[in-house]
Amino acid sequence: MLKQELADTLIDERELRYQFTWPDKQKSVLLANTPTNKTLRPCKEESVDFDNTQNLYIEGDNLEVLKLLQETYLGKIKMIYIDPPYNTGNDFVYNDDFSQEANEYKENSGQLDEQGNRLFQNTESNGRFHTDWLNMIYPRLRLAKDLLSNDGVIFISIDDNEVENLKKICNEIFGENNFVAMFPWRKRTAKSDVPFGVSQDYEWIVCCAKSNEFKAYIEGGTRKYFETPDFPGRPWRIHDMTKQTTASERPNSYFTMVNPKTGEEFPCDPNRTWRITKDTFQKYYDAHEIIFPGDYDFLHISKPVARYFKDKDMLKMGDNFGKIAVSTKLPDDIGMSQDGTKEMKEIFDCIPFPFPKTINLLKYLIKTSSYKDSIVLDFFSGSASIAHAVMQLNAEDGGNRKFIMVQLPELCDEKSEAYKAGYNNICEIGKERIRCAGAKIKRENGLTAQDLDTGFRVLKLDSSNMKDVYYRPEEYSQTLLEGLSDNIKTDRTSLDLLFQVMLDLGKPLSAKIEEKNIAGKRVFIVNDDDLIACFEDSISAEIVTEIAKAKPLYAVFRDSSLANDSVAANFEQIFATYSPNTVRKVL
């Protein structure tokens, strides 16, 4: 570059092309595609209404969690909202370099998480300041896209440091045609002690759709329809017949419109042409879709207007009838950071999490972009503001939206208010907020919120439930071989195994789980006989027969579960007799 600056001829004639790249970009693509060997373990004691709730709170590295959710929630998430760590030079961001030695990593990070060294402080003195942030966010967004339904959407809060890079990443992953908008959110009032004397009071919410099937609308269509004797049963409304195009841009729409009844002429403004062309005028007139001055005494118009019939509006708009388009100017009552802080203080009597987004902001995004039964995902859930917003909105409009929160159990600073209040990590803050907010919403809404789902299942990312069976030859011994007779780790429960199976088979992690006792053995029934699993020891032919008679879609057992060789030999025959279509799986 220096040579070129000093030269008056081309130094390097290699052809350049427009592209967005950075160091290790290919590795971040590979990282998104690399399968995971982790699993999710349920934690009943930290959950609320575990057996009935459809909400999830997942603790762990969100990259691994997103990979685990691919099978079960592929194309099922209507809306994703994330507020990832901003690249300010002080925030901790996720580090996905698993190749570093432990001592080297400790030196780089200064903080370890419970998953094994995932965090580091990205200061501006770091030569990879932007690169590290990009490598963090890129694979997560690639995985997130696959979870979205075809009419799904993602909202990403960001500040000025990475907004341009984030938009380029989104264009690459979601496609430029699916970029929806950037919503400016006013986070504070003006400050005086600021660089350049300019107070940056806004943050941005980047919005991208999965495809052009996404449509955002808000309730409150105020269109006025008229009912007249000439069109009984067909209410209609009027609309401006002109549009903001010039005569040179649309010459066919620049003409003098003549009222066929009176012969009165209505010339066209060269800077604002008609919505129709001269050739299509008769078609619209014959369809009664043009109204002239004097046609109706109650209409005070001075030029022709378009007539839209309500039945055609309803056909065209479908489920969106009665709704209006969303503006990038957020409503005035959305609130600022100080309002989000106030909401936190009402719950905790302290401020355990800095700069939370306001509930009104999140409710607005959810309401305009999802249905009343949608699943809403936040994989940087922080203080679980989205979960709070989902429950509050459900209480207000009778919805049944479900949330999935994902958060790394990042340790709280020992000097922070959160730590002093007894919270060791961010997940503890998020779970407590959901508990308190849910109880508060039910108190305030009384009987109308009696059936409101304010519970959540806690799942924690962990290593596989299966033992590591790969050893070097010199490590084998008689004792080791005896231990390998059971391939399940000794600290894993039957419920742990069930959730692994649910992940493997693509069953919702919020599915209804019943427990039944058959001949003294604990049997799990998922989604009304969709999946039946038994992980007990010494399973008899009687138990296998009872399960087969229920005709489940899937039946799952442990490899070491069958009582004896006779049961094992008759296993397939029992299912062939009573439920030949059941898929059998053995762990």
Side-chain angles (χ1 to χ4, degrees), residues 220 266 300 332 510 523:
F266 296 91
H300 305 289
D332 295 334
S510 59
V523 176

Side-chain angles (χ1 to χ4, degrees), residues 47-274:
S47 304
V48 174
D49 198 18
F50 183 93
D51 294 328
N52 300 305
T53 185
Q54 293 185 296
N55 301 316
L56 301 176
Y57 189 98
I58 305 176
E59 296 186 26
D61 184 336
N62 54 17
L63 182 66
E64 301 293 331
V65 173
L66 288 171
K67 291 179 181 181
L68 287 171
L69 297 180
Q70 292 295 303
E71 184 74 26
T72 304
Y73 292 95
L74 185 72
K76 294 181 180 178
I77 306 295
K78 180 64 173 73
M79 175 189 162
I80 297 174
Y81 170 83
I82 57 172
D83 189 3
Y86 294 169
N87 205 10
T88 62
N90 296 311
D91 292 308
F92 285 96
V93 296
Y94 294 55
N95 191 331
D96 299 311
D97 184 357
F98 306 109
S99 64
Q100 296 186 33
E101 295 294 331
N103 291 337
E104 177 188 359
Y105 212 56
K106 288 178 183 178
E107 290 178 4
N108 289 347
S109 67
Q111 180 177 350
L112 309 180
D113 72 4
E114 295 178 2
Q115 302 298 321
N117 310 329
R118 286 286 195 281
L119 304 173
F120 74 105
Q121 199 169 20
N122 194 26
T123 62
E124 292 183 20
S125 60
N126 178 10
R128 294 164 54 92
F129 181 67
H130 292 292
T131 294
D132 286 333
W133 192 88
L134 293 169
N135 283 327
M136 179 277 293
I137 200 70
Y138 188 79
R140 289 163 172 82
L141 291 181
R142 281 177 64 101
L143 291 167
K145 178 190 176 184
D146 293 335
L147 296 177
L148 286 173
S149 58
N150 284 337
D151 61 348
V153 65
I154 184 170
F155 294 92
I156 310 169
S157 284
I158 198 70
D159 69 356
D160 284 350
N161 287 298
E162 298 293 350
V163 64
E164 294 91 351
N165 288 334
L166 176 62
K167 189 170 182 299
K168 288 184 175 70
I169 281 181
C170 288
N171 284 343
E172 180 171 318
I173 293 175
F174 295 93
E176 289 188 46
N177 293 337
N178 292 322
F179 170 73
V180 176
M182 282 179 59
F183 294 83
W185 173 59
R186 190 176 187 187
K187 61 181 178 181
R188 68 185 183 199
T189 54
K191 295 177 66 177
S192 55
D193 184 19
V194 289
F196 306 108
V198 175
S199 177
Q200 176 49 277
D201 299 335
Y202 285 83
E203 287 181 3
W204 312 101
I205 302 175
V206 178
C207 177
C208 295
K210 175 73 172 286
S211 73
N212 60 7
E213 291 184 30
F214 168 72
K215 291 291 183 294
Y217 289 97
I218 56 176
E219 302 283 353
T222 56
R223 289 170 174 163
K224 182 178 180 181
Y225 287 90
F226 302 102
E227 294 199 39
T228 53
D230 49 346
F231 296 103
R234 291 195 74 194
W236 49 269
R237 62 183 174 89
I238 61 173
H239 194 277
D240 189 359
M241 181 66 82
T242 64
K243 62 187 302 184
Q244 289 180 325
T245 52
T246 65
S248 59
E249 291 172 329
R250 294 197 61 182
N252 291 338
S253 295
Y254 179 59
F255 65 97
T256 297
M257 196 179 294
V258 180
N259 186 340
K261 292 180 181 178
T262 65
E264 185 177 1
E265 296 183 350
F266 296 91
C268 187
D269 186 333
N271 294 313
R272 192 173 179 90
T273 63
W274 300 115

Side-chain angles (χ1 to χ4, degrees), residues 333-390:
D333 63 353
I334 285 297
M336 295 183 283
S337 282
Q338 61 186 19
D339 299 295
T341 300
K342 182 180 178 182
E343 291 163 354
M344 287 283 285
K345 206 164 184 178
E346 289 176 356
I347 294 175
F348 291 97
D349 293 326
C350 66
I351 308 173
F353 194 87
F355 313 117
K357 296 297 184 287
T358 69
I359 297 303
N360 280 347
L361 169 65
L362 301 178
K363 281 198 309 179
Y364 180 77
L365 297 179
I366 296 168
K367 191 169 186 177
T368 59
S369 306
S370 68
Y371 309 121
K372 288 187 177 182
D373 60 350
S374 295
I375 302 175
V376 180
L377 167 66
D378 182 352
F379 54 90
F380 285 98
S381 70
S383 64
S385 297
I386 276 285
H388 189 165
V390 166

Side-chain angles (χ1 to χ4, degrees), residues 319-483:
D319 292 338
N320 293 313
F321 178 75
K323 302 178 182 179
I324 55 178
V326 174
S327 171
T328 54
K329 181 186 182 301
L330 295 170
D332 295 334
D333 63 353
I334 285 297
M336 295 183 283
S337 282
Q338 61 186 19
D339 299 295
T341 300
K342 182 180 178 182
E343 291 163 354
M344 287 283 285
K345 206 164 184 178
E346 289 176 356
I347 294 175
F348 291 97
D349 293 326
C350 66
I351 308 173
F353 194 87
F355 313 117
K357 296 297 184 287
T358 69
I359 297 303
N360 280 347
L361 169 65
L362 301 178
K363 281 198 309 179
Y364 180 77
L365 297 179
I366 296 168
K367 191 169 186 177
T368 59
S369 306
S370 68
Y371 309 121
K372 288 187 177 182
D373 60 350
S374 295
I375 302 175
V376 180
L377 167 66
D378 182 352
F379 54 90
F380 285 98
S381 70
S383 64
S385 297
I386 276 285
H388 189 165
V390 166
M391 294 187 297
Q392 183 66 52
L393 187 57
N394 283 343
E396 292 173 5
D397 67 6
N400 187 34
R401 302 170 188 85
K402 282 76 70 175
F403 63 75
I404 301 176
M405 301 290 102
V406 183
Q407 177 59 45
L408 187 75
E410 182 182 340
L411 299 178
C412 297
D413 190 303
E414 294 184 7
K415 297 178 182 178
S416 67
E417 284 195 48
Y419 188 84
K420 293 174 184 176
Y423 301 102
N424 294 313
N425 61 56
I426 293 178
C427 290
E428 292 182 5
I429 299 171
K431 288 178 289 188
E432 184 62 12
R433 179 177 188 176
I434 301 174
R435 295 186 193 105
C436 294
K440 182 173 182 284
I441 291 168
K442 283 197 168 184
R443 282 196 309 271
E444 293 175 348
N445 290 273
L447 293 176
T448 59
Q450 187 176 3
D451 297 324
L452 185 68
D453 185 359
T454 58
F456 56 94
R457 280 182 181 173
V458 175
L459 305 172
K460 298 189 178 186
L461 185 72
D462 207 332
S463 59
S464 171
N465 293 319
M466 318 306 288
K467 288 180 179 177
D468 184 359
V469 297
Y470 298 102
Y471 296 89
R472 293 189 296 271
E474 63 270 19
E475 294 177 324
Y476 279 92
S477 65
Q478 185 61 40
T479 305
L480 175 64
L481 293 175
E482 291 172 359

